[in-house]
């Protein structure tokens, strides 16, 4: 009993919802790179708010200059991509404000970015926030919890390593 390890947030085999809204299957996204799971597997949220939260605890390993995508490495070795919008790289950062930087440690539910989704919609671009496990070969199975999500509270995906 005294030597039992206490479970921490980092060791939970789950990804939280990065945004409030509807969790959908990435296979239904209007972009073949995501729909065909070329970059990995996970979930997407059709967002209702502006703040994007980290789905996991870990280390920020990549913040794109355009602030539309964030890479996070979890303590158990998973590589997580949070990609905001589809074809938003062409906006060159307009409408995005990063709240983290490379090398920074984050906890699940911590803000990664603030996004002006009205601006993205005005550019005719889809606003899905896509969360992928990019090294999906490290995972035996995943289960997505489709439906309505609350940012930072709803478990959007569970996995078995």
């Amino acid at each position: 009993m005294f030597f039992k390890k206490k479970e921490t947030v980092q060791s939970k085999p789950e990804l939280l919802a990065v945004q409030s809204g509807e969790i959908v299957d990435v296979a239904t996204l209007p972009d073949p790179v995501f729909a065909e799971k070329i970059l990995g597997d996970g979930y997407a949220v059709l967002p209702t708010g502006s703040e994007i939260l980290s789905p996991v605890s870990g280390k920020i390993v990549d913040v794109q200059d355009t602030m539309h995508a964030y890479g996070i490495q979890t303590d158990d070795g998973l590589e997580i991509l949070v990609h905001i919008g589809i074809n938003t790289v062409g906006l060159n950062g307009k409408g995005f404000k990063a709240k983290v930087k490379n090398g920074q440690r984050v906890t699940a539910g911590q803000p990664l970015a603030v996004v002006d989704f009205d601006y993205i919609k005005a550019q005719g671009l889809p606003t899905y926030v896509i969360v992928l496990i990019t090294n999906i070969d490290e995972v035996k199975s995943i289960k997505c919890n489709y439906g309505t999500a609350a940012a930072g509270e709803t478990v959007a995906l569970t996995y078995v390593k």
Side-chain angles (χ1 to χ4, degrees):
M1 185 100 172
F2 290 108
F3 299 105
K4 259 191 172 176
K5 260 190 168 177
K6 186 177 177 186
E7 186 176 289
T8 62
V9 172
Q10 293 91 337
S11 66
K12 289 184 180 178
E14 62 188 32
L15 279 66
L16 297 179
V18 293
Q19 176 53 246
S20 293
E22 190 72 18
I23 297 174
V24 298
D25 188 339
V26 293
T28 66
L29 295 177
D31 183 300
V33 172
F34 295 116
E36 295 172 18
K37 303 179 183 180
I38 293 168
L39 296 176
D41 200 355
Y43 70 92
V45 177
L46 193 53
T48 59
S50 62
E51 192 170 63
I52 307 301
L53 306 180
S54 180
V56 293
S57 294
K59 182 180 177 184
I60 300 292
V61 294
D62 186 36
V63 176
Q64 290 291 299
D65 292 339
T66 53
M67 297 172 281
H68 77 289
Y70 299 79
I72 307 165
Q73 181 158 25
T74 66
D75 292 336
D76 64 353
L78 290 188
E79 297 166 1
I80 308 298
L81 170 66
V82 177
H83 192 283
I84 305 165
I86 294 177
N87 296 324
T88 49
V89 67
L91 299 178
N92 295 316
K94 188 162 184 187
F96 298 89
K97 181 177 180 183
K99 304 289 260 176
V100 295
K101 59 185 180 193
N102 284 329
Q104 181 178 338
R105 184 136 182 93
V106 294
T107 57
Q110 181 176 334
L112 295 176
V114 176
V115 182
D116 182 350
F117 283 111
D118 289 335
Y119 175 76
I120 292 172
K121 286 179 198 170
Q123 305 312 302
L125 300 174
T127 59
Y128 295 99
V129 180
I130 302 119
V131 179
L132 301 176
I133 300 171
T134 58
N135 59 342
I136 195 68
D137 55 322
E138 298 289 320
V139 177
K140 290 179 184 168
S141 66
I142 66 169
K143 179 185 181 299
C144 293
N145 299 313
Y146 303 117
T148 304
E153 296 176 19
T154 302
V155 174
L157 180 149
T158 55
Y159 63 89
V160 176
K161 276 196 88 170

